[in-house]
Amino acid sequence: MRQWLARRLFFYLRSRSDLDKLADSEIQDLAEDFVQDTLLQIRAKLEQFEGRSKFTTWAGKIAVHQALGELRRARWRDFSLDSLIGESDFTPSFLVNEADPDAPDRAVERAETMRAVAEVINEELSERQRAALVALMVEGVPMDVVADRLGTNRNALYKLLHDARKRLRSRLEDRGYNIETLLNDLSG
Amino acid sequence: MTMNASPMIVRVLRMLAGTQEIELGCEEVTALLDEYCEAQAGGEDLSRFAPVMNAHLRLCADCREEYEALLTLVTMDADPISS
Ligand SMILES: [Zn+2]
């Protein structure tokens, strides 16, 4: 099983574009470290194995969870939510300024729609929900990293966001908006 | 870090469009992940997992990455004789 994990993890890590600067020997070491940590976890979680999959697949799941968690945290080590706090107001900056009198009707209409959506986000979400939402808008930032910064875990963060999404959707609908129509108007 | 607000709002709306009343959490998805990947690797019918599994994997980048990695691991031809 150790072999099974080590070989596969090595090939998987070698295929990742964010690790392509590492030599094969370094990737080998990285894979060995992850397998080592995984084996400890497997020992601790052994009674959770219910035989719903092969043992190697179950072990692979633990390895992947462990390895990717560590890679994410290392890669985003310097990520801070503080730099985003100014962004947690969703009102687009170009909407704050005086509307352009020469803009075509369609552009004015789109700006109005944006403003309405931003307003619902700003008014209906808690500060924590808004912070989580803004953080996840940064391209590629992992849930694990945002959860760490908010002092929570991935599962609880997902739930926080799920509640936020449901609330936004129903509040927008209360105001007579339809999500599909809004999307068509704004991205079309 | 500055972000352009209008693509942000469109992204939020896309997330809202995919929102279900009941969704699986990350822990529930992780609990099913080995079984799910094995079923997929074996070409089995995945309808017993869908659409709740798909909805979560669309919205959660971390679970999606772990799913893709595990599927890669279980479908990999990595035994010494073949590599
Ligand atoms: Zn998840």
Side-chain angles (χ1 to χ4, degrees), chain A:
Chain A
M1 199 247 328
R2 190 198 178 95
Q3 268 298 329
W4 190 96
L5 276 181
R7 290 190 66 83
R8 279 165 178 76
L9 210 50
F10 168 75
F11 286 120
Y12 168 73
L13 293 171
R14 201 171 62 165
S15 73
R16 281 179 64 104
S17 58
D18 59 334
L19 299 178
D20 62 4
K21 290 200 174 57
L22 295 186
D24 276 1
S25 62
E26 291 172 296
I27 293 191
Q28 188 97 50
D29 291 344
L30 198 58
E32 287 295 336
D33 286 347
F34 289 145
V35 170
Q36 199 61 41
D37 295 342
T38 301
L39 292 177
L40 290 174
Q41 286 206 34
I42 286 175
R43 213 156 293 151
K45 291 183 177 180
L46 208 50
E47 43 201 74
Q48 290 173 27
F49 178 64
E50 293 174 329
R52 290 169 163 273
S53 66
K54 288 181 201 143
F55 188 68
T56 46
T57 309
W58 182 76
K61 173 172 81 173
I62 293 171
V64 156
H65 189 75
Q66 164 79 20
L68 296 186
E70 281 190 37
L71 289 176
R72 287 173 192 135
R73 290 181 171 97
R75 184 164 178 211
W76 292 83
R77 199 176 34 226
D78 299 327
F79 177 75
S80 159
L81 284 184
D82 300 343
S83 64
L84 297 175
I85 277 177
E87 304 288 336
S88 66
D89 176 352
F90 265 78
T91 311
S93 51
F94 65 88
L95 296 180
V96 177
N97 305 324
E98 205 62 31
D100 178 0
D102 297 328
D105 288 355
R106 183 156 162 65
V108 173
E109 222 170 276
R110 283 170 80 149
E112 265 320 305
T113 310
M114 294 273 194
R115 192 201 301 274
V117 177
E119 196 180 279
V120 174
I121 295 173
N122 290 332
E123 285 175 10
E124 299 289 348
L125 296 188
S126 70
E127 216 161 292
R128 198 171 162 78
Q129 287 175 322
R130 224 165 28 238
L133 200 59
V134 173
L136 284 172
M137 293 294 131
V138 177
E139 195 58 40
V141 68
M143 293 276 286
D144 276 345
V145 170
V146 175
D148 285 352
R149 299 303 182 273
L150 290 173
T152 181
N153 61 51
R154 195 205 302 180
N155 194 62
L157 173 61
Y158 188 89
K159 204 181 165 331
L160 178 91
L161 288 163
H162 182 216
D163 289 342
R165 287 186 276 112
K166 284 197 291 191
R167 184 171 180 89
L168 285 179
R169 193 180 59 180
S170 85
R171 289 303 179 274
L172 282 165
E173 284 167 0
D174 289 349
R175 297 186 188 201
Y177 293 107
N178 170 281
I179 306 295
E180 304 298 332
T181 315
L182 286 174
L183 263 176
N184 281 336
D185 289 352
L186 293 180
S187 51

